[in-house]
């Protein structure tokens, strides 16, 4: 692990624990990764573990197809998605995927999440795309749909998988996690706004 940079692993662990403590991921769901600079490899959460229990030694090393290179355990089933994002988005250094409840609730509308708050408008360059993948994970055949999102809005910092959760990107794991928090907050406010409007208050 040291040869690939313990600092990156420590940042991953910090971001993972923050996501768990902030309540945007519970139980053993969600996954997090970081690109290993200069190599077609990534540090990745193993399947089954909780984000709340992550340490710098928790992460596996895989290639960008999600094939295990170093470590013990099975890579998360979303390894293919993480690796594909690194391939098509060279600036992205970390990916945080969480099953955030308000974002998932919003995704049921099938509409992109609007930047309802001033905070979102200041921090995010456009509305957050909602991508409907009819499976519990992003499969090989779904990758062209992911690429279409980033071709359409190349600077977008995240997307929401319908019925599944937020996939947030960043220059490091903490930035990606903060983006996931912001999107969850925005989804919560947007749903509250819709409820208030419906009640005519």
């Amino acid at each position: 692990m040291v040869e690939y940079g313990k600092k990156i692993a420590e940042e991953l662990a910090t971001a993972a624990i923050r996501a768990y403590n902030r309540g945007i991921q519970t139980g053993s769901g969600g996954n997090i990764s970081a690109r290993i600079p200069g190599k077609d490899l990534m540090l990745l959460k193993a399947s089954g573990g909780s984000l709340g229990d992550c340490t710098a030694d928790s992460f596996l090393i895989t290639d960008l197809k999600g094939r295990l290179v170093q470590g013990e355990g099975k890579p998360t089933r979303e390894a293919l998605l993480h690796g594909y994002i690194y391939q098509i988005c060279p600036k992205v250094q970390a990916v945080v995927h969480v099953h955030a409840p308000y974002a998932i609730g919003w995704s049921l509308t099938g509409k992109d999440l609007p930047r309802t708050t001033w905070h979102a408008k200041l921090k995010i360059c456009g509305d957050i795309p909602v991508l409907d993948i009819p499976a519990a994970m992003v499969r090989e055949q779904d990758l062209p749909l992911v690429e279409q999102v980033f071709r359409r809005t190349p600077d977008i910092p995240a997307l929401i998988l319908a019925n599944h959760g937020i996939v947030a990107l960043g220059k490091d794991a903490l930035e990606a996690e903060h983006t996931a928090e912001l999107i969850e907050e925005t989804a919560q406010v947007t749903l509250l706004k819709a409820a208030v409007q419906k009640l005519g208050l």
Side-chain angles (χ1 to χ4, degrees):
M1 183 69 70
V2 174
E3 64 180 300
Y4 292 123
K6 190 156 185 177
K7 182 175 182 291
I8 296 173
E10 289 171 346
E11 287 176 351
L12 278 173
T14 300
I17 292 167
R18 180 179 171 88
Y20 186 85
N21 289 341
R22 295 290 293 167
I24 58 175
Q25 181 58 59
T26 60
S28 61
N31 38 74
I32 185 169
S33 72
R35 186 195 298 271
I36 295 174
K39 298 180 181 292
D40 290 332
L41 298 172
M42 56 185 172
L43 283 166
L44 185 74
K45 174 185 170 286
S47 180
S50 171
L51 292 184
D53 296 330
C54 283
T55 69
D57 296 320
S58 297
F59 302 99
L60 309 176
I61 295 174
T62 74
D63 67 14
L64 298 185
K65 294 288 187 181
R67 294 175 294 221
L68 185 64
V69 172
Q70 184 178 318
E72 295 182 8
K74 180 181 177 183
T76 172
R77 62 180 146 188
E78 291 292 5
L80 188 65
L81 172 62
H82 288 247
Y84 192 69
I85 289 172
Y86 294 132
Q87 290 176 67
I88 65 174
C89 302
K91 293 181 181 178
V92 173
Q93 300 299 314
V95 177
V96 171
H97 170 49
V98 289
H99 304 157
Y102 287 100
I104 293 173
W106 174 262
S107 78
L108 300 177
T109 68
K111 300 176 183 177
D112 290 353
L113 176 66
R115 295 173 296 158
T116 303
T117 67
W118 284 115
H119 189 197
K121 289 173 183 174
L122 286 169
K123 297 278 188 176
I124 302 173
C125 64
D127 294 346
I128 300 300
V130 171
L131 183 59
D132 189 7
I133 302 292
M137 59 185 238
V138 176
R139 306 157 299 179
E140 186 86 38
Q141 64 262 38
D142 302 317
L143 295 178
L145 298 175
V146 175
E147 185 168 5
Q148 285 174 22
V149 168
F150 290 108
R151 284 190 182 279
R152 190 168 66 245
T153 49
D155 294 324
I156 205 71
L159 57 86
I160 300 172
L161 297 174
N163 300 304
H164 194 166
I166 299 166
V167 179
L169 322 175
K171 69 178 185 299
D172 55 42
L174 289 171
E175 182 180 73
E177 193 280 333
H178 289 166
T179 296
E181 285 189 43
L182 174 57
I183 291 168
E184 177 68 348
E185 174 190 82
T186 304
Q188 183 177 13
V189 173
T190 304
L191 288 168
L192 287 170
K193 178 182 177 182
V196 167
Q197 289 174 334
K198 186 172 182 179
L199 290 171
L201 299 176

